[in-house]
Amino acid sequence: MVAISLRGAAARMFRAIDPVVLLEGPTGTGKSAPACLKVHTIAMQHRVRIVMARQTRESLTDSTMFVLEQSVLAHDPIGHLIIGNSGRSNRDRYAYPNGSEIVCVGFDKPGKLLSADYDLALVDQAEQVNVSAIEHLLTRLRNNSGFDDKQLILVANPDSPAHWLLRWEEQGKLVRHRSVIQDNPLFWDSARGCFTRDGEAYMEKQSRLSGMNYRRYVLGEWCAAEGLIFAYDPSRHLIDAKLVRQDNRWNVQYAEGRTVALEWFACGVDWGDAKPGAIVVMGFDRDNRG
């Protein structure tokens, strides 16, 4: 049997059959492992095709796939058969003896995602993924397997109060389950009603956060930074490079000859009162470096 204790929001998410569910809350509240347990349990009970995704394939490999293997499959009697011998970085799916499979995809390389149909989808760190990618994914939940409870499972940390995840809840497009630190059996002893030793150590580290990070990752608030004034420093903020259009994409071409391809852009506007307003456009490479 799998050694994960489901509590609170995680237990509600596990039982939910709504078409789109969101499990969100502060860091350390135990969100990814229950979500991985849910897709594994369904894969064991039905012959289904599941996609597991994050914003980048690298982040999926280092986090969600690691959680699936160490927290779920390692505790299942046939987990070693599902994991197989290949390393996570080279793995594109988990194959189950009953014919089920969990396909691993990063939204930075969505080719496989857009060309296949699925029964379920799990998107970890969904706050990092844009709404267009999620809507694309929803169109792929149409696998003709006989499994009727098609579902998109979103796992997220709190982000901006204007985030599309909150708008979807307001519009009735998803059902939201809010986790708290007491939901994580690794950090909270429910019998004694206090933090475990690991929990005390974790919360001590979290107490060092400040401002927006503390409000989001400790208190679980969806909030934005306020009152920030950008301190312009030419020595730090000017680079000897130019933006060029090449091969139907934008690239940053540095004076020394190095070229960096930009994968996506973000734009922000702030109309200042005490200080001048600003319109900022940022380009990011495949590793999300701006």
Side-chain angles (χ1 to χ4, degrees):
M1 297 298 291
V2 179
I4 293 180
S5 175
L6 296 173
R7 303 176 182 173
R12 295 191 295 274
M13 176 278 301
F14 190 88
R15 297 191 299 266
I17 59 173
D18 310 278
V20 183
V21 293
L22 168 64
L23 179 61
E24 62 92 1
T27 58
T29 56
K31 301 184 294 290
S32 296
C36 288
L37 175 60
K38 179 169 184 172
V39 297
H40 168 70
T41 301
I42 293 174
M44 291 287 288
Q45 295 175 347
H46 307 271
R47 185 171 181 174
V48 291
R49 198 159 192 257
I50 300 171
V51 60
M52 184 169 67
R54 269 196 66 166
Q55 174 60 30
T56 66
R57 172 53 209 248
E58 182 179 3
S59 62
L60 182 75
T61 301
D62 295 337
S63 60
T64 317
M65 292 173 66
F66 177 83
V67 171
L68 175 65
E69 293 185 11
Q70 298 299 314
S71 298
V72 178
L73 296 178
H75 300 278
D76 192 289
I78 66 167
H80 65 285
L81 298 177
I82 300 169
I83 293 174
N85 297 320
S86 63
R88 283 193 303 275
S89 59
N90 297 319
R91 184 190 307 282
D92 64 356
R93 70 194 64 234
Y94 295 91
Y96 284 68
N98 65 353
S100 290
E101 61 179 354
I102 298 178
V103 180
C104 306
V105 177
F107 283 102
D108 57 336
K109 299 177 181 178
K112 297 176 183 176
L113 178 69
L114 298 179
S115 62
D117 296 337
Y118 303 96
D119 296 286
L120 288 99
L122 165 61
V123 179
D124 204 359
Q125 300 295 136
E127 78 278 5
Q128 300 175 355
V129 182
N130 66 60
V131 67
S132 291
I134 297 296
E135 289 176 344
H136 258 303
L137 179 55
L138 276 172
T139 69
R140 311 314 305 181
L141 297 182
R142 61 186 191 188
N143 192 37
N144 186 24
S145 65
F147 181 78
D148 296 328
D149 295 327
K150 301 289 193 285
Q151 188 176 58
L152 169 60
I153 303 166
L154 304 170
V155 177
N157 293 322
D159 202 271
S160 163
H163 200 280
W164 65 265
L165 284 167
L166 299 188
R167 301 291 79 78
W168 271 31
E169 182 196 20
E170 293 172 358
Q171 297 163 11
K173 294 182 178 181
L174 61 78
V175 176
R176 179 181 177 193
H177 302 281
R178 305 181 69 176
S179 65
V180 294
I181 198 69
Q182 289 81 2
D183 293 344
N184 189 346
L186 178 63
F187 292 157
W188 185 260
D189 187 330
S190 59
R192 298 170 56 205
C194 63
F195 286 107
T196 63
R197 181 177 298 180
D198 288 337
E200 290 177 350
Y202 179 78
M203 294 307 296
E204 194 278 329
K205 293 177 182 177
Q206 294 294 87
S207 69
R208 301 178 187 180
L209 301 179
S210 61
M212 181 181 67
N213 287 337
Y214 185 84
R215 293 175 62 192
R216 286 182 179 180
Y217 304 138
V218 180
L219 301 181
E221 298 178 9
W222 291 70
C223 62
E226 297 179 357
L228 294 181
I229 298 175
F230 179 64
Y232 175 66
D233 180 355
S235 66
R236 295 179 57 204
H237 300 128
L238 286 182
I239 60 174
D240 190 6
K242 59 183 179 179
L243 191 64
V244 296
R245 184 76 169 171
Q246 189 176 40
D247 297 329
N248 203 32
R249 69 192 306 168
W250 289 102
N251 301 289
V252 176
Q253 193 173 83
Y254 290 84
E256 72 270 19
R258 181 168 58 98
T259 299
V260 176
L262 298 179
E263 299 290 331
W264 61 285
F265 294 85
C267 179
V269 179
D270 182 20
W271 303 116
D273 293 323
K275 297 290 182 177
I279 300 176
V280 179
V281 179
M282 294 186 67
F284 297 83
D285 65 14
R286 65 183 303 169
D287 295 318
N288 285 339
R289 293 176 297 193

